[in-house]
Structure formats: C-alpha cells, structure tokens
Amino acid sequence: LDGVLLRLGRGNSAIAQELHLNAQSSSDKDLRVRAVRLLPQIDPTESFDEIEKYTFDPDSQVRLAAIDALGSY
C-alpha cells in the first residue's frame, strides 16, 4: 500500500493532505506512524506543517516518527 501511495501521490499535495486527514483522525497509531513517514516522500515541499502537527500526537511512537521525519528537512 505504501508503494502505491507513493507512486500515485508523489508531488501531489492533494493526496498528501487526504492521507494526513485520514490518518490524523484514526485511532490506529500504526496508520499515523506510516502517514508521518510517507508524507515527506509524497510531497516534501508541502508536508512540513502536517508532519509538525504529529509532534503533538498522544502516542510517543507517532511523535518520534514525526520528529524523525522533520529531521529530513
């Protein structure tokens, strides 16, 4: 699934935004972690603000993934 999202969404801020919105509202922390890791690959120029929001996630694994992703900027 991740590979498909990357191929379809690379450079597409609309797909990145949709992924973020769906993941952010999910109770599945693994989905939120995957979204954080995929967002910079899908749309690196527009994803920074969305990734930053995950640094306030209640789950520490999601927060760490967000910090790691932000480090790539």
Side-chain angles (χ1 to χ4, degrees), residues 10-58:
R10 193 171 303 271
N12 188 329
S13 61
I15 289 178
Q17 183 73 350
E18 186 69 25
L19 173 64
H20 162 65
L21 291 174
N22 287 328
Q24 189 179 37
S25 62
S26 174
S27 61
D28 182 353
K29 73 170 176 79
D30 293 327
L31 176 62
R32 296 192 313 274
V33 167
R34 287 172 62 199
V36 167
R37 291 181 178 153
L38 283 172
L39 282 168
Q41 296 174 51
I42 291 174
D43 193 2
T45 59
E46 298 292 329
S47 298
F48 187 89
D49 292 338
E50 274 71 13
I51 296 168
E52 187 177 33
K53 293 173 186 175
Y54 287 97
T55 62
F56 300 101
D57 194 275

Side-chain angles (χ1 to χ4, degrees), residues 1-12:
L1 179 61
D2 293 354
V4 172
L5 284 172
L6 283 175
R7 282 193 296 274
L8 290 173
R10 193 171 303 271
N12 188 329

